Amino acid sequence: MGLRKVAIVGAGITKFVRRAEETGPEMSYLAAKMALDQAGLKLKDVEMVTVGSAPDAFDGVHMKGEYLLSGAGGNNKQYIRNFVGGGTGVFAPIHGWMHVASGACDVCLVVCSEKMSSCHPHPQGAFLTIFDHTTEQPLNPTLIWIFALEMRRYMETYGLSKTDIARVSVKNKNNALDHPSAQVAEAVTLEDVLNSEVLAEPVHRLDISPASDGAAAVVLVSEDVAKRLTDKPIWIDGVGWNLDTAYWATKDLYYPRYVEKAARMAYEMAGITEPQKQIHVAEPYDPFDYKELHHMEGLLLCERGEAARLTAEGYTARNGNLPVCPSGGALGVGNPIAATGLMKVIEIFLQLREEAGKRQVPGKPKVGVAQAWGDLMQVGTVIVLRR
Amino acid sequence: MKEGVAIVGIGVTGFTSVSPSLSFKEITYSAAVKAYSEAGLSPKDIDSFITASEDFMEGYSIFDEYVPDQLGAVLRPVQTVTADFLQALGIGYMMINTGRFRTIAIEAHSKSSNIKTLDEVQSFALDPVYLRPLKENSTFLAGLEMKRFLKDSGNTEEQCAHVVIKNKKNALYNTNAAYGANLTVDDILSSQPISLPLKHLDVAEPADGAIVVVLASHNEAKALCKNPIWIKGIAWFSGQGNPWSRNLCSADYATLAARKAFAMAGITNPIKEIDFAEVCDEYSYKELQHLESMGIVRKGEAGFLTENGATGLDGILPVNVSGGSLGVGHTFEASGGMKTYEAVLQLRNQAGKRQIKDARVGLVQSWRGIPTATGAVAILSNE
């Protein structure tokens, strides 16, 4: 039994907005419809559906997968929801890959939908219960609080300044000006980021992606079907994921070892031995600006501690040697958690098809990587796509 | 490489109505240790891990954070599906069939005794726009469905009571069961109304427990294990997702999943080819509805057959020999796992007093509960 090849043949993304009028199922429908239209398929051609969405607490709906089912096209089909916290958006197409690569089906619809705005007064509230109820919740930690710790540790380890980190936010928010789904694209300057409101030192408001509503979808098919549908299939060449301990306070936070493990798993499958040379475009997860740097290092796209210097030199700009987050990333396009991860996979898909419009990176990229991250500084999900 | 996926190790903790001295981590850990030692593997030898869980049942957002430590799965490929254990088993089966994984561990647990307001948590599964404004406990949907099913199929409330009697009696022979009892039809019919015709004793009571299974590819299973239990067919399906536009008479998800699982296993005459079935009986009528919807018995006959002992321990097709959810306890995401455990014991000839003679092929079926129309079917065999 040889490995079955799996291709992405269609993709759709809704607008990412602070507060969508549509419900979660409705946004799922919109994204799924766009993806199927691009693939030239109808819902009846879809055999199985896998859905990704972050915690149920955003929507306040128990068994959210079942709630999203009708909108995501799951009626009378094999339908399941996969879930690895913030890493879900890149894990969902990995889940779809399992469906097709195993021979269980030839056409699998992957939908990621997130509606954070239902959570009042702010979706941060949904994160209060991610912490251990005995050892952590009594401290009243927030996500921004723990990421301030991580950011500080990263800066300290490599002697980085706030300016080194803020360049990522400037790059991504400017990149997003060309993304039709973007929520917080803005021609910001370094000054703007550095002078924005302090949330938990060293994290300022413009270091962080916003809370968003949005959905994204892709259609995955087997090799035979791909060849019938398109002359530009984009192949899933490698998949990897990895989950670290829940006891995050016992780890050194300067380096995401779980991302490296996930990346190595995906690279091994894709036959990538020198990621710095063999990968042409990357979409690491950037919910905070330092996270892009952290993740570039975890993805082995540069040496440890080098990512900030490369960013300053323009190496990661859209026309740089290794364009990173040409989409605008979570910082610019917005961050409806699971949909963001899939948006990143879709950006690589579009870049490899040379259909990214104004966002197109030069040099006809052949191989790209997308990555998401989540939980308590814990999970890395990595997918390698090839033209 | 020969195709085929087998269960090579299984471990459970429970099932009990409460477990105050143990955390969910501890019950999971002890199930995992049993499963790994049966399989003769260290968790380091296991290629990937899957958990079936739901945030609201755990009281955590992003519960998948708390999965790896007690499974020995730190810094390993771990995923969660918000689904029944049996669906997770299906994903594990798929992963092995990709050819990139040789062994997979699958976990599910219930710590429902920790939940102070179980009914309210379950009501959060109702659609916020269409159903919550009715301000009803979600069990009202089960009452509606039961009424519709009985009216359309011709089965009766008394026959549903016989399901309860049978399953709770079977549970008396199962040391892992929390709710074994000797009851009469009158006990059940006169129990407190929940949402008529559904009564208190028609509803499975919650239980705590954990299950871990180790799956292996054909070659790996042959090398690891003398008595592998093979997955011959497995499928999960969802019917109409919205309860208000659903046909309440039959369980479409069970029909679709059974059709596919039977086709995979090459089963054409289920009642003859299957030696026993562990069927979802979260509510008494569901056992009848599922047997009919899967096409194992004809429409309207499940009640009659139950009443006359055809689904009893010595019947033509023993159903829920374990005691089912009514007898063992309802374990939510772990329900399919509890039933898989029974099937594995039966197929390994390890079920003790309730052993079915010469059991070769077993069916396991699950449903995700109100208000869903999602369920799974697996066909397991020792050959």
Side-chain angles (χ1 to χ4, degrees), chain A residues 3 66 75 78 130 243 245, chain B residues 65 69 75 98 236 241 260 374:
Chain A
L3 280 180
E66 303 293 332
N75 281 339
Q78 287 199 252
I130 69 172
L243 188 58
T245 172
Chain B
E65 295 167 347
D69 293 278
L75 284 172
T98 64
W236 60 93
K260 179 152 180 191
T374 296

Side-chain angles (χ1 to χ4, degrees), chain B residues 99-147:
Chain B
R100 290 207 61 88
F101 304 88
R102 289 163 309 153
T103 48
I104 309 268
I106 295 150
E107 184 268 338
H109 62 268
S110 159
K111 188 69 173 153
S112 48
S113 67
N114 277 359
I115 304 173
K116 282 186 179 169
T117 53
L118 190 57
D119 279 356
E120 286 77 359
V121 167
Q122 292 191 280
S123 292
F124 271 116
L126 296 179
D127 185 287
V129 179
Y130 292 95
L131 289 177
R132 279 194 212 163
L134 300 175
K135 297 195 190 311
E136 291 285 352
N137 177 313
S138 65
T139 316
F140 88 97
L141 283 168
L144 277 182
E145 187 181 63
M146 181 174 180
K147 188 155 195 158

Side-chain angles (χ1 to χ4, degrees), chain B residues 192-215:
Chain B
Q192 192 191 349
I194 301 286
S195 171
L196 285 175
L198 197 69
K199 298 160 297 292
H200 179 67
L201 287 173
D202 286 310
V203 184
E205 301 274 348
D208 292 354
I211 174 146
V212 175
V213 156
V214 180
L215 282 186

Side-chain angles (χ1 to χ4, degrees), chain B residues 12 26 31 49 52 63 98 132 169 187 193 208 320 323 345 351 364 373 375:
Chain B
V12 302
E26 289 162 320
F49 301 79
F63 176 73
T98 64
R132 279 194 212 163
K169 192 170 172 192
D187 291 335
D208 292 354
N320 288 329
L345 291 183
V364 184

